[in-house]
């Protein structure tokens, strides 16, 4: 496969639109031997600064002598920037080989219906990271139903939140915060940037800092895995469908 063919095949998938949900990804990962479990993962969600957070974390891990994988989106100049090994984008040849592996082992990936552009590229990233010591994975959109949320992270992080993609995530900051909190896993450490008080009170969040620090952004808020406000454990919400938000929510 040539790189021009890769671009033609993948970018044509953009016409299939966005399909939030994890069923397809879980099935595809199983067919690929579950590469998303191949290395300890840091999973990062947020609105502003999540890409920078991923870059800083990956650089720190690499400086500590670990072989790293970094998955971010979108790319700025070249498709291969999305998948980095030890800080460097994979080669076009490597990208082609990864796509060929996905389509060979997940025969329905390019079908109709099949996998979306983002789902396929996420799988390519997982395959590329099979031999790293640690991988840093940036959420694409939201968190709870994002294709990256099949990882079993060693730690989670959420950068500063704001109103974004309200047609998919909900009309208020509380709705968006709840979707971002969908990456939290029971027993897994999680850290958050300082967030508005309304976000901290949404489902899925517990805070260990006082409200003044949390809302000022002066210090990080540690979300306690296993506790969601008065709940005793994070519920598994990844199988729940994305709600349809009526138009009146934005009026």
């Amino acid at each position: 496969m040539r790189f021009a063919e890769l671009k033609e095949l993948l970018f044509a998938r953009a016409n299939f639109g966005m399909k939030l949900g994890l069923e397809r990804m879980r099935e595809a990962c199983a067919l690929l031997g579950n590469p998303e479990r191949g290395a300890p993962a840091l999973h990062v969600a947020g609105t502003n600064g999540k890409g920078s957070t991923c870059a800083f974390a990956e650089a720190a891990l690499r400086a500590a002598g670990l072989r790293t994988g970094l998955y971010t989106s979108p790319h700025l100049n070249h498709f291969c920037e999305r998948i980095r090994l030890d800080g460097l984008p994979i080669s076009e040849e490597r990208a082609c080989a990864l796509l060929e592996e996905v389509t060979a082992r997940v025969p329905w990936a390019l079908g109709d219906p099949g996998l979306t552009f983002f789902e396929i590229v996420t799988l390519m990233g997982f395959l590329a990271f099979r031999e790293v010591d640690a991988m840093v994975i940036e959420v694409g959109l939201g968190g709870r139903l994002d294709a990256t949320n099949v990882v079993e992270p060693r730690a989670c992080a959420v950068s500063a939140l704001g109103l974004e993609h309200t047609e998919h995530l909900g009309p208020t900051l509380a709705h968006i915060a709840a979707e971002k909190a969908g990456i939290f896993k029971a027993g897994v450490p999680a850290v958050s940037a300082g967030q508005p008080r309304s976000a901290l009170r949404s489902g899925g969040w517990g805070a260990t800092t006082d409200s003044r620090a949390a809302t000022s952004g002066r210090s990080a808020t540690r979300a306690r895995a296993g506790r969601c406000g008065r709940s005793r454990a994070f519920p598994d919400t990844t199988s729940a469908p994305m709600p349809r938000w009526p138009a009146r929510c934005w009026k």
Side-chain angles (χ1 to χ4, degrees), residues 196-220:
R197 194 174 284 111
S198 59
L200 295 175
R201 290 173 178 171
S202 69
W205 289 78
T208 62
T209 57
D210 63 63
S211 60
R212 288 174 298 173
T215 56
S216 69
R218 289 195 300 270
S219 64

Side-chain angles (χ1 to χ4, degrees), residues 13 16 27 31 47 70 93 106 111 114 136-137 175 196 205 234 243:
R13 307 302 297 177
F16 287 70
E27 183 179 352
L31 291 172
T47 301
L70 173 63
E93 293 76 17
V106 187
V136 180
I137 307 295
H175 289 108
W205 289 78
F234 288 118

Side-chain angles (χ1 to χ4, degrees), residues 143-217:
R144 180 174 66 95
L145 298 179
D146 184 75
T148 64
N149 204 24
V150 294
V151 297
E152 298 178 357
R154 187 69 59 87
C156 300
V158 177
S159 66
L161 298 180
L163 290 177
E164 55 158 322
H165 301 290
T166 52
E167 69 277 19
H168 299 293
L169 304 180
T172 69
L173 191 59
H175 289 108
I176 290 170
E179 291 296 328
K180 305 289 185 182
I183 70 169
F184 295 163
K185 306 294 188 298
V188 175
V191 64
S192 172
Q195 306 292 358
R197 194 174 284 111
S198 59
L200 295 175
R201 290 173 178 171
S202 69
W205 289 78
T208 62
T209 57
D210 63 63
S211 60
R212 288 174 298 173
T215 56
S216 69

Side-chain angles (χ1 to χ4, degrees), residues 26 234-240:
R26 285 170 174 158
F234 288 118
D236 181 6
T237 60
T238 58
S239 59

Side-chain angles (χ1 to χ4, degrees), residues 117-134:
F117 170 92
F118 186 75
E119 289 170 334
I120 293 174
V121 180
T122 300
L123 292 172
M124 292 169 59
F126 291 152
L127 290 173
F129 300 155
R130 283 173 291 192
E131 298 180 0
V132 303
D133 299 316

